[in-house]
């Protein structure tokens, strides 16, 4: 779908000026153990067993992107409607390039969210990982890009995979997956009708106070996402890895890292996304 490497970089360029809208770019990059991740990477010391993993797919949706002012007020980023990566208030980030183990992906990658905000001073960034409820339960075959990808869709009722991270590990060479999405979505009538609610929406709100457009990058740390997981094993008679099921043992550690509630585990603080100075990342 477009080009990039696996890092969640967010670079916000917001010039001072009059009341006109000012272009803004939020760049995303994925890293692990301080280094960028690609489809060719072998990532060591991952999870509770210090496994070595490789990526076979990695993409996710973000929505409701907004900048935060010093007084705490939020200013939505009006996303550029490019007909490919961004639709309304939703954007896709794609870190696989169909090379190496990522053969089932696409050549294009995407690491930037583009839009505009009123010129001014901003001190933070917030966004959601996932889709708004009203966009999550539609017929995927009738949707425009980026909501038309079959590999990012579960079913009419369950909706989309908000995040898809597929890996191979030392103990699970056939694959171990992280598919984040809503569960417990109940239709109002026949099974094919659109749900009116989901018991567990499983969207992640990322709040990065102190974010500096001129200085900082937002990283998604794959090693941090998997830090509390044993990626070398899988509970018998369950899907490989975590498919967001509330009783799946493989989801407990992942949801904890994302700050999501699951089972008897209460919601907490996400430990996966962070802002760092761009020059720091460039040196590592």
């Amino acid at each position: 779908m477009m080009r990039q490497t696996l890092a969640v970089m967010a670079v916000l360029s917001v010039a001072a000026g009059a009341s006109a809208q000012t272009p803004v770019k939020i760049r995303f990059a994925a890293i692990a153990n301080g280094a960028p991740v690609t489809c060719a990477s072998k990532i060591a010391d991952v999870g509770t067993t210090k496994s070595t993993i490789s990526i076979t797919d990695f993409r996710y949706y973000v929505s409701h992107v907004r900048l935060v002012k010093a007084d705490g007020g939020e200013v939505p980023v009006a996303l550029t409607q490019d007909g490919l990566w961004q639709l309304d208030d939703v954007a896709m980030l794609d870190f696989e390039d169909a090379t190496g183990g990522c053969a089932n992906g696409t050549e294009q990658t995407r690491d930037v969210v583009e839009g505009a905000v009123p010129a001014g001073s901003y001190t933070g960034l917030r966004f959601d990982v996932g889709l708004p409820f009203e966009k999550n339960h539609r017929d995927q075959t009738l949707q425009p890009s980026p909501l038309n990808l079959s590999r990012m869709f579960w079913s009419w009722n369950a909706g989309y995979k908000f995040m898809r991270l597929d890996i191979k590990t030392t103990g699970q060479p056939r694959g171990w997956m992280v598919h984040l999405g809503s569960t417990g979505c109940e239709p109002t009538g026949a099974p094919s009708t659109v749900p009116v609610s989901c018991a567990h929406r499983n969207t992640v709100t990322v709040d990065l106070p102190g974010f500096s457009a001129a200085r900082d990058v937002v990283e998604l740390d794959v090693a941090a996402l998997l830090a509390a997981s044993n990626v070398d094993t899988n509970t018998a008679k369950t899907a490989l890895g975590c498919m967001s099921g509330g009783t799946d043992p493989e989801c407990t550690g992942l949801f904890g890292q994302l700050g999501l509630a699951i089972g008897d585990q209460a919601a907490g603080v996400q430990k996966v996304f962070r802002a760092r100075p761009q020059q720091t990342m460039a040196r590592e």
Side-chain angles (χ1 to χ4, degrees), residues 92-118:
M92 163 164 275
L93 298 165
D94 186 346
F95 302 109
E96 54 72 34
D97 61 3
T99 64
C102 300
N104 291 324
T106 59
E107 292 181 3
Q108 295 171 305
T109 62
R110 180 70 166 181
D111 70 339
V112 63
V113 172
E114 297 182 296
V117 293

PDB file of all heavy atoms in Angstrom, residues 92-118:
ATOM      1  N   MET A  92      -5.172   4.157   8.249  1.00  0.00           N
ATOM      2  CA  MET A  92      -4.476   2.884   8.393  1.00  0.00           C
ATOM      3  C   MET A  92      -2.977   3.110   8.377  1.00  0.00           C
ATOM      4  O   MET A  92      -2.455   3.917   7.600  1.00  0.00           O
ATOM      5  CB  MET A  92      -4.836   1.915   7.276  1.00  0.00           C
ATOM      6  CG  MET A  92      -3.856   0.760   7.152  1.00  0.00           C
ATOM      7  SD  MET A  92      -4.455  -0.616   6.177  1.00  0.00           S
ATOM      8  CE  MET A  92      -5.350  -1.501   7.440  1.00  0.00           C
ATOM      9  N   LEU A  93      -2.284   2.363   9.241  1.00  0.00           N
ATOM     10  CA  LEU A  93      -0.829   2.307   9.247  1.00  0.00           C
ATOM     11  C   LEU A  93      -0.423   0.892   8.866  1.00  0.00           C
ATOM     12  O   LEU A  93      -0.950  -0.078   9.411  1.00  0.00           O
ATOM     13  CB  LEU A  93      -0.292   2.680  10.627  1.00  0.00           C
ATOM     14  CG  LEU A  93      -0.659   4.110  11.046  1.00  0.00           C
ATOM     15  CD1 LEU A  93      -0.433   4.311  12.530  1.00  0.00           C
ATOM     16  CD2 LEU A  93       0.120   5.118  10.234  1.00  0.00           C
ATOM     17  N   ASP A  94       0.497   0.766   7.918  1.00  0.00           N
ATOM     18  CA  ASP A  94       0.842  -0.540   7.344  1.00  0.00           C
ATOM     19  C   ASP A  94       2.365  -0.682   7.357  1.00  0.00           C
ATOM     20  O   ASP A  94       3.066   0.043   6.666  1.00  0.00           O
ATOM     21  CB  ASP A  94       0.297  -0.615   5.915  1.00  0.00           C
ATOM     22  CG  ASP A  94       0.488  -1.980   5.286  1.00  0.00           C
ATOM     23  OD1 ASP A  94       1.265  -2.783   5.830  1.00  0.00           O
ATOM     24  OD2 ASP A  94      -0.125  -2.240   4.232  1.00  0.00           O
ATOM     25  N   PHE A  95       2.867  -1.649   8.127  1.00  0.00           N
ATOM     26  CA  PHE A  95       4.294  -1.817   8.303  1.00  0.00           C
ATOM     27  C   PHE A  95       4.846  -3.083   7.675  1.00  0.00           C
ATOM     28  O   PHE A  95       5.981  -3.455   7.935  1.00  0.00           O
ATOM     29  CB  PHE A  95       4.637  -1.782   9.791  1.00  0.00           C
ATOM     30  CG  PHE A  95       4.202  -0.515  10.459  1.00  0.00           C
ATOM     31  CD1 PHE A  95       3.148  -0.515  11.357  1.00  0.00           C
ATOM     32  CD2 PHE A  95       4.832   0.673  10.165  1.00  0.00           C
ATOM     33  CE1 PHE A  95       2.731   0.660  11.962  1.00  0.00           C
ATOM     34  CE2 PHE A  95       4.427   1.857  10.780  1.00  0.00           C
ATOM     35  CZ  PHE A  95       3.373   1.846  11.672  1.00  0.00           C
ATOM     36  N   GLU A  96       4.055  -3.780   6.874  1.00  0.00           N
ATOM     37  CA  GLU A  96       4.567  -4.920   6.117  1.00  0.00           C
ATOM     38  C   GLU A  96       4.695  -4.510   4.657  1.00  0.00           C
ATOM     39  O   GLU A  96       3.980  -3.618   4.197  1.00  0.00           O
ATOM     40  CB  GLU A  96       3.638  -6.132   6.280  1.00  0.00           C
ATOM     41  CG  GLU A  96       2.164  -5.902   5.936  1.00  0.00           C
ATOM     42  CD  GLU A  96       1.906  -5.740   4.456  1.00  0.00           C
ATOM     43  OE1 GLU A  96       2.609  -6.390   3.666  1.00  0.00           O
ATOM     44  OE2 GLU A  96       1.027  -4.951   4.084  1.00  0.00           O
ATOM     45  N   ASP A  97       5.621  -5.149   3.939  1.00  0.00           N
ATOM     46  CA  ASP A  97       5.868  -4.751   2.551  1.00  0.00           C
ATOM     47  C   ASP A  97       5.869  -5.928   1.587  1.00  0.00           C
ATOM     48  O   ASP A  97       6.426  -5.838   0.487  1.00  0.00           O
ATOM     49  CB  ASP A  97       7.185  -3.984   2.446  1.00  0.00           C
ATOM     50  CG  ASP A  97       8.385  -4.825   2.893  1.00  0.00           C
ATOM     51  OD1 ASP A  97       8.201  -6.020   3.223  1.00  0.00           O
ATOM     52  OD2 ASP A  97       9.511  -4.282   2.915  1.00  0.00           O
ATOM     53  N   ALA A  98       5.275  -7.041   1.996  1.00  0.00           N
ATOM     54  CA  ALA A  98       5.136  -8.231   1.149  1.00  0.00           C
ATOM     55  C   ALA A  98       6.474  -8.895   0.823  1.00  0.00           C
ATOM     56  O   ALA A  98       6.540  -9.727  -0.076  1.00  0.00           O
ATOM     57  CB  ALA A  98       4.374  -7.907  -0.138  1.00  0.00           C
ATOM     58  N   THR A  99       7.527  -8.553   1.562  1.00  0.00           N
ATOM     59  CA  THR A  99       8.807  -9.211   1.363  1.00  0.00           C
ATOM     60  C   THR A  99       9.047 -10.206   2.491  1.00  0.00           C
ATOM     61  O   THR A  99       8.379 -10.177   3.530  1.00  0.00           O
ATOM     62  CB  THR A  99       9.961  -8.194   1.349  1.00  0.00           C
ATOM     63  OG1 THR A  99      10.057  -7.563   2.632  1.00  0.00           O
ATOM     64  CG2 THR A  99       9.737  -7.149   0.266  1.00  0.00           C
ATOM     65  N   GLY A 100      10.007 -11.093   2.296  1.00  0.00           N
ATOM     66  CA  GLY A 100      10.359 -12.036   3.337  1.00  0.00           C
ATOM     67  C   GLY A 100       9.164 -12.863   3.791  1.00  0.00           C
ATOM     68  O   GLY A 100       8.413 -13.408   2.991  1.00  0.00           O
ATOM     69  N   GLY A 101       8.970 -12.904   5.099  1.00  0.00           N
ATOM     70  CA  GLY A 101       7.847 -13.656   5.642  1.00  0.00           C
ATOM     71  C   GLY A 101       6.503 -12.999   5.457  1.00  0.00           C
ATOM     72  O   GLY A 101       5.473 -13.589   5.753  1.00  0.00           O
ATOM     73  N   CYS A 102       6.496 -11.747   4.984  1.00  0.00           N
ATOM     74  CA  CYS A 102       5.242 -11.006   4.825  1.00  0.00           C
ATOM     75  C   CYS A 102       4.648 -11.193   3.428  1.00  0.00           C
ATOM     76  O   CYS A 102       4.101 -10.259   2.831  1.00  0.00           O
ATOM     77  CB  CYS A 102       5.463  -9.522   5.081  1.00  0.00           C
ATOM     78  SG  CYS A 102       6.090  -9.144   6.732  1.00  0.00           S
ATOM     79  N   ALA A 103       4.746 -12.397   2.881  1.00  0.00           N
ATOM     80  CA  ALA A 103       4.373 -12.642   1.490  1.00  0.00           C
ATOM     81  C   ALA A 103       2.898 -12.408   1.223  1.00  0.00           C
ATOM     82  O   ALA A 103       2.501 -12.135   0.081  1.00  0.00           O
ATOM     83  CB  ALA A 103       4.753 -14.066   1.098  1.00  0.00           C
ATOM     84  N   ASN A 104       2.057 -12.493   2.243  1.00  0.00           N
ATOM     85  CA  ASN A 104       0.613 -12.314   2.043  1.00  0.00           C
ATOM     86  C   ASN A 104       0.176 -10.861   2.172  1.00  0.00           C
ATOM     87  O   ASN A 104      -1.024 -10.578   2.166  1.00  0.00           O
ATOM     88  CB  ASN A 104      -0.170 -13.173   3.039  1.00  0.00           C
ATOM     89  CG  ASN A 104      -0.026 -14.655   2.745  1.00  0.00           C
ATOM     90  OD1 ASN A 104       0.040 -15.062   1.592  1.00  0.00           O
ATOM     91  ND2 ASN A 104       0.028 -15.461   3.797  1.00  0.00           N
ATOM     92  N   GLY A 105       1.124  -9.949   2.275  1.00  0.00           N
ATOM     93  CA  GLY A 105       0.781  -8.547   2.440  1.00  0.00           C
ATOM     94  C   GLY A 105       0.760  -7.793   1.126  1.00  0.00           C
ATOM     95  O   GLY A 105       0.490  -8.352   0.063  1.00  0.00           O
ATOM     96  N   THR A 106       1.062  -6.513   1.215  1.00  0.00           N
ATOM     97  CA  THR A 106       1.082  -5.641   0.045  1.00  0.00           C
ATOM     98  C   THR A 106       2.423  -4.926  -0.018  1.00  0.00           C
ATOM     99  O   THR A 106       3.075  -4.704   1.008  1.00  0.00           O
ATOM    100  CB  THR A 106      -0.040  -4.593   0.122  1.00  0.00           C
ATOM    101  OG1 THR A 106       0.129  -3.818   1.316  1.00  0.00           O
ATOM    102  CG2 THR A 106      -1.407  -5.254   0.148  1.00  0.00           C
ATOM    103  N   GLU A 107       2.848  -4.526  -1.215  1.00  0.00           N
ATOM    104  CA  GLU A 107       4.136  -3.866  -1.369  1.00  0.00           C
ATOM    105  C   GLU A 107       4.148  -2.483  -0.723  1.00  0.00           C
ATOM    106  O   GLU A 107       5.160  -2.044  -0.192  1.00  0.00           O
ATOM    107  CB  GLU A 107       4.483  -3.743  -2.853  1.00  0.00           C
ATOM    108  CG  GLU A 107       4.760  -5.076  -3.527  1.00  0.00           C
ATOM    109  CD  GLU A 107       5.116  -4.907  -4.990  1.00  0.00           C
ATOM    110  OE1 GLU A 107       5.206  -3.741  -5.443  1.00  0.00           O
ATOM    111  OE2 GLU A 107       5.321  -5.927  -5.666  1.00  0.00           O
ATOM    112  N   GLN A 108       3.027  -1.804  -0.776  1.00  0.00           N
ATOM    113  CA  GLN A 108       2.968  -0.458  -0.228  1.00  0.00           C
ATOM    114  C   GLN A 108       2.927  -0.492   1.293  1.00  0.00           C
ATOM    115  O   GLN A 108       2.323  -1.380   1.895  1.00  0.00           O
ATOM    116  CB  GLN A 108       1.747   0.280  -0.748  1.00  0.00           C
ATOM    117  CG  GLN A 108       1.776   0.519  -2.253  1.00  0.00           C
ATOM    118  CD  GLN A 108       0.455   1.050  -2.751  1.00  0.00           C
ATOM    119  OE1 GLN A 108      -0.587   0.451  -2.527  1.00  0.00           O
ATOM    120  NE2 GLN A 108       0.491   2.182  -3.426  1.00  0.00           N
ATOM    121  N   THR A 109       3.559   0.482   1.930  1.00  0.00           N
ATOM    122  CA  THR A 109       3.499   0.636   3.379  1.00  0.00           C
ATOM    123  C   THR A 109       3.074   2.060   3.700  1.00  0.00           C
ATOM    124  O   THR A 109       3.052   2.935   2.846  1.00  0.00           O
ATOM    125  CB  THR A 109       4.865   0.342   4.033  1.00  0.00           C
ATOM    126  OG1 THR A 109       5.830   1.281   3.558  1.00  0.00           O
ATOM    127  CG2 THR A 109       5.319  -1.076   3.715  1.00  0.00           C
ATOM    128  N   ARG A 110       2.734   2.271   4.950  1.00  0.00           N
ATOM    129  CA  ARG A 110       2.247   3.602   5.355  1.00  0.00           C
ATOM    130  C   ARG A 110       2.657   3.880   6.781  1.00  0.00           C
ATOM    131  O   ARG A 110       2.383   3.090   7.687  1.00  0.00           O
ATOM    132  CB  ARG A 110       0.729   3.653   5.224  1.00  0.00           C
ATOM    133  CG  ARG A 110       0.099   4.971   5.613  1.00  0.00           C
ATOM    134  CD  ARG A 110       0.406   6.080   4.641  1.00  0.00           C
ATOM    135  NE  ARG A 110      -0.466   7.239   4.847  1.00  0.00           N
ATOM    136  CZ  ARG A 110      -0.410   8.346   4.104  1.00  0.00           C
ATOM    137  NH1 ARG A 110       0.445   8.436   3.109  1.00  0.00           N
ATOM    138  NH2 ARG A 110      -1.226   9.352   4.355  1.00  0.00           N
ATOM    139  N   ASP A 111       3.307   5.034   7.010  1.00  0.00           N
ATOM    140  CA  ASP A 111       3.753   5.378   8.358  1.00  0.00           C
ATOM    141  C   ASP A 111       3.375   6.789   8.746  1.00  0.00           C
ATOM    142  O   ASP A 111       3.987   7.360   9.653  1.00  0.00           O
ATOM    143  CB  ASP A 111       5.263   5.201   8.470  1.00  0.00           C
ATOM    144  CG  ASP A 111       6.012   6.258   7.674  1.00  0.00           C
ATOM    145  OD1 ASP A 111       5.430   6.871   6.748  1.00  0.00           O
ATOM    146  OD2 ASP A 111       7.197   6.479   7.971  1.00  0.00           O
ATOM    147  N   VAL A 112       2.407   7.381   8.080  1.00  0.00           N
ATOM    148  CA  VAL A 112       2.091   8.780   8.362  1.00  0.00           C
ATOM    149  C   VAL A 112       0.584   8.993   8.335  1.00  0.00           C
ATOM    150  O   VAL A 112      -0.128   8.383   7.539  1.00  0.00           O
ATOM    151  CB  VAL A 112       2.784   9.711   7.336  1.00  0.00           C
ATOM    152  CG1 VAL A 112       2.290   9.454   5.927  1.00  0.00           C
ATOM    153  CG2 VAL A 112       2.619  11.163   7.718  1.00  0.00           C
ATOM    154  N   VAL A 113       0.120   9.833   9.236  1.00  0.00           N
ATOM    155  CA  VAL A 113      -1.254  10.342   9.209  1.00  0.00           C
ATOM    156  C   VAL A 113      -1.163  11.810   8.843  1.00  0.00           C
ATOM    157  O   VAL A 113      -0.435  12.576   9.493  1.00  0.00           O
ATOM    158  CB  VAL A 113      -1.945  10.160  10.575  1.00  0.00           C
ATOM    159  CG1 VAL A 113      -3.299  10.857  10.597  1.00  0.00           C
ATOM    160  CG2 VAL A 113      -2.095   8.681  10.904  1.00  0.00           C
ATOM    161  N   GLU A 114      -1.884  12.210   7.815  1.00  0.00           N
ATOM    162  CA  GLU A 114      -1.803  13.579   7.307  1.00  0.00           C
ATOM    163  C   GLU A 114      -3.140  14.284   7.449  1.00  0.00           C
ATOM    164  O   GLU A 114      -4.196  13.684   7.243  1.00  0.00           O
ATOM    165  CB  GLU A 114      -1.377  13.574   5.842  1.00  0.00           C
ATOM    166  CG  GLU A 114       0.011  12.997   5.624  1.00  0.00           C
ATOM    167  CD  GLU A 114       0.436  13.046   4.179  1.00  0.00           C
ATOM    168  OE1 GLU A 114      -0.201  12.376   3.354  1.00  0.00           O
ATOM    169  OE2 GLU A 114       1.409  13.770   3.878  1.00  0.00           O
ATOM    170  N   GLY A 115      -3.073  15.549   7.790  1.00  0.00           N
ATOM    171  CA  GLY A 115      -4.286  16.330   7.935  1.00  0.00           C
ATOM    172  C   GLY A 115      -3.968  17.782   8.169  1.00  0.00           C
ATOM    173  O   GLY A 115      -2.912  18.288   7.773  1.00  0.00           O
ATOM    174  N   ALA A 116      -4.880  18.468   8.853  1.00  0.00           N
ATOM    175  CA  ALA A 116      -4.706  19.891   9.124  1.00  0.00           C
ATOM    176  C   ALA A 116      -5.379  20.249  10.431  1.00  0.00           C
ATOM    177  O   ALA A 116      -6.355  19.618  10.846  1.00  0.00           O
ATOM    178  CB  ALA A 116      -5.281  20.735   7.980  1.00  0.00           C
ATOM    179  N   VAL A 117      -4.828  21.274  11.095  1.00  0.00           N
ATOM    180  CA  VAL A 117      -5.393  21.815  12.328  1.00  0.00           C
ATOM    181  C   VAL A 117      -5.262  23.331  12.273  1.00  0.00           C
ATOM    182  O   VAL A 117      -4.459  23.864  11.493  1.00  0.00           O
ATOM    183  CB  VAL A 117      -4.663  21.291  13.585  1.00  0.00           C
ATOM    184  CG1 VAL A 117      -4.884  19.806  13.772  1.00  0.00           C
ATOM    185  CG2 VAL A 117      -3.166  21.602  13.506  1.00  0.00           C
ATOM    186  N   PRO A 118      -6.017  24.057  13.091  1.00  0.00           N
ATOM    187  CA  PRO A 118      -5.781  25.501  13.179  1.00  0.00           C
ATOM    188  C   PRO A 118      -4.364  25.768  13.670  1.00  0.00           C
ATOM    189  O   PRO A 118      -3.864  25.068  14.556  1.00  0.00           O
ATOM    190  CB  PRO A 118      -6.816  25.968  14.208  1.00  0.00           C
ATOM    191  CG  PRO A 118      -7.877  24.917  14.179  1.00  0.00           C
ATOM    192  CD  PRO A 118      -7.167  23.633  13.909  1.00  0.00           C
TER     193      PRO A 118
END
